[in-house]
Amino acid sequence: VNDPAVRIAREPLEEGRVIRFAVQLDGVRRGALALRWHGQVRAWLDTCRHQSLPLSAPDGHVFDAGAGELVCDRHGARYRPDTGECTSGPCRGAFLTALALEERPDGTWCTGRGGPAGLAP
Ligand code: FES
C-alpha cells in the first residue's frame, strides 16, 4: 500500500511543541505526534507500547518539556523524544513506531513509516 504523504504544518515546527496529526499507515488511519527537540524533528505514532493506547491525554498534553520526555497519559510510561525509547514505566526498553518527516519549502510533511537513520523502524 502506498500511503499518501500528509502535510502536518505549513511553518517549521517549533522547538518543544508537539503537533498531533493523523496519518494513513497501510490504509489505516492512525494518530501521530511530531515535535522538534534540540533542533531535530521527529514523529511517532501516538500509540503506547504498553497497551497500544494513545499516549496523549484528551486535552492533547503528552510532552513534559521540563523533563524532555513524552509521557503516556494512561500509566505514565516515559519516552525519549529523539529515539522513541521508553526509559521508564511498564514498557521500559520498547520503542515507539517512528514516522518519517520531511521539511520542505512548503511545510513539514509526514511521508509514512520510517525514521532517522539508525533508529528502529
Ligand atoms: S498504555 Fe501507556 S503506560 Fe500503559
Side-chain angles (χ1 to χ4, degrees), residues 4-118:
V6 57
R7 180 162 59 185
I8 64 169
R10 292 178 185 274
E11 304 294 328
L13 301 189
E14 292 175 33
E15 177 75 19
R17 179 163 166 259
V18 172
I19 289 186
R20 294 198 298 166
F21 62 100
V23 64
Q24 293 269 124
L25 271 193
D26 303 328
V28 178
R29 187 177 165 89
R30 308 283 301 271
L33 311 165
L35 81 164
R36 184 184 303 278
W37 186 241
H38 295 164
Q40 303 293 317
V41 291
R42 293 284 190 266
W44 311 103
L45 281 187
D46 185 8
T47 303
C48 187
R49 293 302 309 277
H50 176 216
Q51 291 185 345
S52 295
L53 298 169
L55 293 175
S56 52
D59 68 1
H61 179 75
V62 67
F63 189 55
D64 178 346
E69 295 170 324
L70 295 162
V71 183
C72 181
D73 182 57
R74 309 303 161 122
H75 314 106
R78 289 180 168 263
Y79 293 89
R80 289 180 56 156
D82 55 349
T83 65
E85 181 181 8
C86 179
T87 57
S88 71
C91 44
R92 184 174 176 180
F95 285 80
L96 295 173
T97 299
L99 301 173
L101 287 185
E102 287 183 17
E103 295 191 277
R104 302 177 183 172
D106 64 347
T108 302
W109 292 73
C110 179
T111 56
R113 199 183 297 271

